[in-house]
């Protein structure tokens, strides 16, 4: 895939970039390694000052960077502004809380004495150069949620961003440079996927994090495993949205629309499979389908647009194949199910709700990356939980209920990295984020995330003579 900015609303190629040469990769690896040697000794106060400055600059740049993201990958510009604001919030959160999150830990005195020590302490120390392989769907947020905690922990970062968001990738490098971070602390590598293995195998790279597809995760994990290097993976999701008999159906249906089409439906944590108790199924279906039909599809730079184009022609084609396969095997399109006739250019797809889904259909097992929802009717909670778990993924889940027994059962039995009750899945810097099964492993955000790329060092002091 060429490294290029292609406007998905028109299909027009706006700018192409040459991948950096091997000699430049080597120079940047050397710069990162040298930067880590110096930066790891800085204090939390200095790191917080630099990250706070980056947050201030991003806040000032929010309108221009929002338009860059929209032009590169098609999200509505109002959503792009919200993404920039979320990044500012996360930077400031880590600048404020990192020192506390990485404070020395003191084991129980009884355990210290039993070990034969006079005292013992656990320090959190940075690992070194971390390679981040990041996707296009949240081109700012995915990077910031890695790099803010990484830099606050004393690590340095190398970014291999998706090839269709090079302008955003270069903006990020410039942002941290303008904020005053030492040279080499954060660098963008304009390279293709074929360069990742060589970079990851380099001894100067200590660890890697990847957000993206399952095949990309397998590739990075296998290389890192061969080199015995730490990885964090956040991969796909096919999140269930469970609506039980006691739910507030009006709120559940209204929120469901946003939960499905956020980011034009191209979000790992977007709700994708809507599993509804038979007692409220008809009422939910009516409201949900009506809400999906009312969405405005169009130019993502328009303030009136709810759903813009998919990020690429291939992405639109892949989604179309899943829908056509389901329709051919007996699914019913309650709305959508085709490209919108109003958009003659660009990679648009109509907001769609499919019912009568069966396990024979690919869409029952595969992730839908676009504004397409699958709707299921279930008889009881047992069937709802079984269907929710009937997926190779386990990123997050949503449950609507006002019954405490339902809550307890879902917390216990849903196979996911998160369970969100009476609301849609969202990420916050103070809450751990990640999945299980084929959605990956490890955690981002919160104290769990900042410690992923730290060496928990046990320091033991023998008894005094």
């Amino acid at each position: 895939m060429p490294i290029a900015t292609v406007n998905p609303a028109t299909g027009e190629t706006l700018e192409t970039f040459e991948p950096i040469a091997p000699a430049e990769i080597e120079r940047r690896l050397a710069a990162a390694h040298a930067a880590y040697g110096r930066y790891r000794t800085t204090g939390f106060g200095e790191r917080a000052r630099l990250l706070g400055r980056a947050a201030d600059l991003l806040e000032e740049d929010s309108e221009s960077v929002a338009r860059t993201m929209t032009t590169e990958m098609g999200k509505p510009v109002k959503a792009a502004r919200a993404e920039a604001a979320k990044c500012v919030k996360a930077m400031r959160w880590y600048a404020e809380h990192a020192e506390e999150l990485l404070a020395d830990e003191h084991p129980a005195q009884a355990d210290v004495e039993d070990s034969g020590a006079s005292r013992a302490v656990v320090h959190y120390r940075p690992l070194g150069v971390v390679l981040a392989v990041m996707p296009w769907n949240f081109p700012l947020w995915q990077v910031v949620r890695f790099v803010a905690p990484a830099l606050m922990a004393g690590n340095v970062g190398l970014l291999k961003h998706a090839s269709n968001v090079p302008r955003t990738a270069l903006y990020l490098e410039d942002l941290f440079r303008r904020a005053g971070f030492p040279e080499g602390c954060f660098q963008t590598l304009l390279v293709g996927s074929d360069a990742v293995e060589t970079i990851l195998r380099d001894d100067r790279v200590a660890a890697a994090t990847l957000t993206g597809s399952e095949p990309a995760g397998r590739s990075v994990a296998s290389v890192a495993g061969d080199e015995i290097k730490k990885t964090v993976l956040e991969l796909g999701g096919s999140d269930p949205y469970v609506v039980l008999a006691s739910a507030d159906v009006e709120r559940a249906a209204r929120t469901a629309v946003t939960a499905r089409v956020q980011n034009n439906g191209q979000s790992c944590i977007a709700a994708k499979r809507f599993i509804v108790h038979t007692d409220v199924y008809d009422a939910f279906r009516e409201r949900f389908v009506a809400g999906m039909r009312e969405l405005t599809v169009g130019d993502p730079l328009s303030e009136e647009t709810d759903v813009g184009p998919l990020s690429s022609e291939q992405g639109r084609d892949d989604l179309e194949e899943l829908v056509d396969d389901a329709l051919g095997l007996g699914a019913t399109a309650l709305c959508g199910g085709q490209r919108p006739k109003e958009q003659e250019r660009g990679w648009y797809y109509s907001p769609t709700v499919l019912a009568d889904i069966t396990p024979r259909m690919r869409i029952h097992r595969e992730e839908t990356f676009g504004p397409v929802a699958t709707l299921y009717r279930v008889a009881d909670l047992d069937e709802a939980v079984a269907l929710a778990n009937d997926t190779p993924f386990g990123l997050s889940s949503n449950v609507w209920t006002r019954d405490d027994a339902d809550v307890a059962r879902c917390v216990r039995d849903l196979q996911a990295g998160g369970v969100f009750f009476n609301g849609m899945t969202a990420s916050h810097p103070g809450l751990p984020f990640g999945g299980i099964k084929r959605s990956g492993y490890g955690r981002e955000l919160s104290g769990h995330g900042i410690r992923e790329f730290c060496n928990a060092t046990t320091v033991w002091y023998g008894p005094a003579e």
Side-chain angles (χ1 to χ4, degrees), residues 30 37 51 117 148 158 168-169 171 201 215 226 276 309 322 335 358 379 395 417 448:
L51 190 60
L158 292 172
T168 306
Y171 167 80
R201 288 191 185 277
D226 189 49
V276 185
L322 284 178
C335 65
T358 70
L395 192 53
H448 295 273

Side-chain angles (χ1 to χ4, degrees), residues 73-357:
M73 57 70 57
K75 71 173 74 227
V77 69
K78 56 191 177 185
R81 291 192 196 102
E83 181 173 341
K86 187 173 186 176
C87 292
V88 170
K89 178 178 180 177
M91 287 179 177
R92 289 174 176 160
W93 190 90
Y94 271 110
E96 179 181 353
H97 294 286
E99 184 171 11
E100 173 191 354
L101 296 172
L102 297 179
D104 292 347
E105 292 183 7
H106 299 276
Q109 187 58 33
D111 292 329
V112 172
E113 294 174 358
D114 191 54
S115 76
S118 59
R119 61 191 178 97
V121 63
V122 178
H123 295 297
Y124 287 99
R125 299 160 57 201
L127 290 183
V129 179
V130 183
L131 172 65
V133 182
M134 293 287 111
W136 48 262
N137 58 336
F138 292 94
L140 206 67
W141 170 242
Q142 304 278 15
V143 179
V144 166
R145 77 183 190 191
F146 144 71
V147 75
L151 289 171
M152 284 305 302
N155 295 300
V156 302
L158 292 172
L159 170 64
K160 189 281 180 222
H161 218 325
S163 294
N164 61 331
V165 289
R167 288 178 174 175
T168 306
L170 291 171
Y171 167 80
L172 283 159
E173 180 178 80
D174 185 61
L175 173 69
F176 289 103
R177 179 192 60 77
R178 287 187 290 135
F181 280 91
E183 181 183 359
C185 277
F186 181 84
Q187 300 175 85
T188 286
L189 305 177
L190 286 185
V191 296
S193 298
D194 56 349
V196 170
E197 178 173 351
T198 299
I199 296 167
L200 182 51
R201 288 191 185 277
D202 192 285
D203 288 342
R204 291 165 291 190
V205 174
T209 180
L210 177 141
T211 299
S213 68
E214 186 182 335
R218 288 180 185 276
S219 176
V220 165
S222 64
V223 173
D226 189 49
E227 295 291 337
I228 317 180
K229 293 182 179 181
K230 175 69 179 289
T231 53
V232 170
L233 303 181
E234 193 263 279
L235 309 178
S238 190
D239 290 3
Y241 190 99
V242 179
V243 183
L244 298 173
S246 65
D248 181 335
V249 175
E250 181 67 39
R251 283 186 57 222
R254 185 171 62 250
T255 304
V257 174
T258 304
R260 177 64 286 239
V261 303
Q262 60 174 309
N263 207 46
N264 302 339
Q266 300 167 121
S267 171
C268 296
I269 58 170
K272 299 184 175 79
R273 298 176 298 131
F274 295 81
I275 301 167
V276 185
H277 192 284
T278 188
D279 289 355
V280 294
Y281 177 88
D282 291 339
F284 177 88
R285 180 189 61 191
E286 179 182 355
R287 290 168 173 80
F288 181 44
V289 172
M292 293 285 277
R293 282 185 176 139
E294 290 168 3
L295 294 167
T296 299
V297 179
D299 179 3
L301 288 173
S302 168
E303 300 294 336
E304 306 304 316
T305 293
D306 299 309
V307 179
L310 300 188
S311 69
S312 68
E313 186 173 19
Q314 184 63 57
R316 196 262 309 276
D317 290 348
D318 290 345
L319 183 68
E320 200 167 41
E321 285 181 9
L322 284 178
V323 173
D324 290 349
D325 172 78
L327 293 174
L329 291 172
T332 302
L334 302 180
C335 65
Q338 60 189 358
R339 304 178 188 185
K341 295 180 175 61
E342 296 81 8
Q343 277 76 35
E344 296 181 356
R345 297 196 304 163
W347 302 312
Y348 292 89
Y349 199 82
S350 298
T352 297
V353 180
L354 299 179
D356 304 313
I357 304 298

Side-chain angles (χ1 to χ4, degrees), residues 17-72:
F17 300 79
E18 286 296 321
I20 61 175
E24 179 62 12
I25 295 175
E26 167 58 31
R27 189 192 72 79
R28 288 173 178 254
L29 281 167
H33 182 66
Y36 171 65
R38 299 185 298 271
Y39 183 70
R40 68 184 180 86
T41 64
T42 59
F44 284 106
E46 174 64 3
R47 297 173 197 168
R49 183 187 70 80
L50 293 170
L51 190 60
R53 176 59 179 154
D56 293 343
L57 289 171
L58 177 55
E59 191 168 51
E60 294 170 9
D61 298 341
S62 60
E63 183 62 29
S64 62
V65 75
R67 295 181 73 85
T68 295
M69 287 189 284
T70 294
T71 301
E72 288 202 305

